[in-house]
C-alpha cells in the first residue's frame, strides 16, 4: 500500500468482494470441489467477520466508520452503500453454502443479510452513505449504483431506477476517473437513456484509449491532464469487458440454471443493435450469448 496504508484499516468492502469473486467462480464453473476446498473457507470466514463488524441499532445492522470504493483519504462514513451491498450479498452466499453443508449458521447469516441497512434518499434512491448530499464532493464515485451492479443487490424497480438515474445525472463530475467510469454507460442504459449510454461509453472508456498502441490509460487525459499517462490499466479494460458481457446483457450469475441468469429487458446504447459472443464456457458447456436491443432478456444457448 502507498504511504502509511491507512485505507486498509477501513476499506472493508475488499474482503467481501473477494468472497463474492470466489462465489461467482463457483456459479460460472460449477466446480464443487473448488467450492468445498477453496470458496467455503473464504466466504464463511468473511461472514463470521461481518457478524463482529456490524453494529445493531433500532434501524437494523449497521456498518459504521468504513471507507467505500472511493477510497477518500481520512474520511470514514456510516453505511456506505457499496460496503453494505457487498456485505448483504456475501452473507447470502455464505448462508446458501452453509445450508447445503448442514452448517447451522445459515439461519443467522440469512437473518443478518436481511437486517443490514441500506441508506435511502428523498427521491427513493440508494445514497452513497448515510450523510451523503448531492454536491458534497465534486465527482463523487457512483458507489450506490455499483452496489446494484456489478455487486448484484436486488432492489425495488423504482429504487433501482432512481439510483441509476442519480449516477447518470452526477456522471459529469466523475467520468474520466479510473475504474467505475467504464460502468456508467450501463447505468444510463438501465435507466432507459440510450443516448446518454452511448455518450458515457465514449467518455467513460473510449476516450481513455491512447494511440499509437491503443493503450487504455488509468485517467482520461483531457480531464486529468496532470496525471501520468499510465497504462494499460486493467481495471478500465475489465470494466468495459464486464459491461459488455454482463452489464448490458443483464447477466447475473447465481447458483440457479444459467438460462435464468438474464432476467431483465435488453437496453443497448443508441445505434447498437446487439451484443453477440459466439462462445462462452459455462459449467463445462459451450454456449453462445446474444443480447439484442428490445428483447425481453438476453439468451445463453448452446453454441
Amino acid at each position: 500500500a502507498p504511504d502509511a496504508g491507512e485505507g486498509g484499516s477501513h476499506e472493508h468492502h475488499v474482503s467481501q468482494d473477494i468472497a463474492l469473486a470466489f462465489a461467482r467462480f463457483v456459479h460460472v464453473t460449477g466446480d464443487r470441489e473448488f467450492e468445498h476446498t477453496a470458496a467455503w473457507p473464504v466466504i464463511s470466514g468473511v461472514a463470521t467477520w461481518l457478524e463482529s463488524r456490524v453494529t445493531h441499532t433500532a434501524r437494523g445492522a449497521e456498518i459504521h466508520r468504513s471507507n467505500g470504493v472511493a477510497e477518500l483519504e481520512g474520511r470514514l462514513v456510516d453505511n456506505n452503500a457499496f460496503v453494505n451491498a457487498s456485505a448483504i450479498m456475501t452473507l447470502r452466499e455464505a448462508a446458501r453454502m452453509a445450508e447445503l453443508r448442514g452448517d447451522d449458521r445459515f439461519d443467522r447469516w440469512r437473518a443478518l443479510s436481511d437486517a443490514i441497512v441500506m441508506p435511502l434518499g428523498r427521491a427513493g434512491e440508494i445514497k452513497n452513505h448515510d450523510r451523503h448530499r448531492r454536491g458534497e464532493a465534486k465527482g463523487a464515485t457512483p458507489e450506490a449504483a455499483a452496489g446494484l451492479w456489478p455487486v448484484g443487490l436486488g432492489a425495488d424497480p423504482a429504487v433501482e431506477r432512481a439510483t441509476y438515474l442519480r449516477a447518470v445525472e452526477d456522471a459529469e463530475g466523475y467520468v474520466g476517473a479510473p475504474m467505475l467510469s467504464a460502468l456508467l454507460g450501463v447505468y444510463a442504459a438501465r435507466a432507459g437513456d440510450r443516448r446518454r449510454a452511448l455518450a458515457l461509453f465514449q467518455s467513460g472508456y473510449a476516450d481513455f484509449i491512447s494511440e499509437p498502441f491503443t493503450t487504455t490509460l488509468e485517467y482520461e487525459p483531457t480531464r486529468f491532464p496532470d496525471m501520468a499517462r499510465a497504462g494499460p490499466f486493467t481495471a478500465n479494460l475489465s470494466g468495459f469487458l464486464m459491461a459488455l458481457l454482463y452489464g448490458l446483457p443483464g447477466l447475473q450469475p447465481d447458483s440457479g440454471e444459467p438460462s435464468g441468469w438474464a432476467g431483465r429487458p435488453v437496453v443497448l446504447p443508441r445505434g447498437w443493435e446487439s451484443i453477440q459472443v459466439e462462445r462462452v464456457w459455462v459449467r463445462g458447456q459451450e454456449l453462445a450469448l446474444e443480447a439484442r436491443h428490445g428483447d425481453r432478456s438476453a439468451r445463453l444457448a448452446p453454441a
Side-chain angles (χ1 to χ4, degrees):
D3 302 319
E6 295 94 339
S9 300
H10 303 285
E11 200 175 347
H12 293 320
H13 69 87
V14 175
S15 294
Q16 297 149 202
D17 297 343
I18 291 169
L20 290 175
F22 274 73
R24 298 273 171 90
F25 183 87
V26 171
H27 296 329
V28 172
T29 64
D31 189 334
R32 298 306 167 197
E33 182 178 356
F34 178 89
E35 180 177 28
H36 176 73
T37 61
W40 168 249
V42 171
I43 294 169
S44 61
V46 176
T48 299
W49 169 76
L50 278 167
E51 288 184 289
S52 71
R53 181 61 180 84
V54 301
T55 300
H56 293 276
T57 71
R59 295 173 69 192
E62 303 190 44
I63 299 178
H64 295 162
R65 294 182 57 77
S66 70
N67 199 348
V69 71
E71 303 173 6
L72 297 174
E73 184 178 352
R75 183 167 176 214
L76 304 179
V77 299
D78 292 345
N79 296 314
N80 175 276
F82 190 91
V83 173
N84 287 25
S86 60
I88 290 169
M89 297 304 293
T90 298
L91 287 162
R92 288 178 182 172
E93 292 287 1
R96 180 189 65 82
M97 289 187 182
E99 188 169 19
L100 289 173
R101 298 168 65 90
D103 187 311
D104 61 9
R105 290 176 291 181
F106 80 89
D107 215 11
R108 70 175 197 244
W109 285 342
R110 189 166 291 141
L112 181 57
S113 74
D114 291 340
I116 289 181
V117 170
M118 291 299 293
L120 294 178
R122 293 182 178 179
E125 82 284 5
I126 300 173
K127 302 193 299 182
N128 272 10
H129 53 82
D130 275 352
R131 300 184 66 183
H132 184 262
R133 298 291 182 271
R134 297 191 76 177
E136 69 173 18
K138 182 181 178 182
T141 306
E143 299 197 62
L148 296 175
W149 185 80
V151 170
L153 180 72
D156 178 88
V159 172
E160 178 185 280
R161 187 169 190 276
T163 304
Y164 286 138
L165 277 173
R166 178 58 52 86
V168 174
E169 291 166 357
D170 294 346
E172 189 59 30
Y174 176 79
V175 69
M179 296 185 289
L180 298 189
S181 285
L183 311 183
L184 291 169
V186 174
Y187 302 151
R190 292 193 176 190
D193 191 338
R194 300 185 70 195
R195 180 196 64 81
R196 189 77 173 115
L198 180 66
L200 285 171
F201 274 117
Q202 178 67 44
S203 58
Y205 182 72
D207 289 349
F208 287 71
I209 298 174
S210 174
E211 298 300 344
F213 302 113
T214 318
T215 302
T216 300
L217 302 176
E218 180 178 9
Y219 287 88
E220 198 281 304
T222 62
R223 291 176 179 264
F224 294 91
D226 296 332
M227 300 301 293
R229 294 168 68 90
F233 192 67
T234 306
N236 293 341
L237 285 160
S238 60
F240 181 59
L241 182 62
M242 190 163 61
L244 297 181
L245 292 178
Y246 296 95
L248 291 173
L251 293 185
Q252 193 67 50
D254 58 24
S255 61
E257 290 299 314
S259 58
W261 291 353
R264 60 187 310 124
V266 178
V267 180
L268 300 182
R270 188 177 64 179
W272 293 28
E273 295 180 0
S274 66
I275 295 171
Q276 298 181 48
V277 184
E278 293 180 354
R279 184 174 68 175
V280 295
W281 288 97
V282 180
R283 299 180 185 172
Q285 299 181 36
E286 197 173 331
L287 304 180
L289 168 65
E290 181 180 31
R292 188 169 294 278
H293 175 72
D295 282 357
R296 292 181 62 182
S297 66
R299 289 184 292 278
L300 275 173

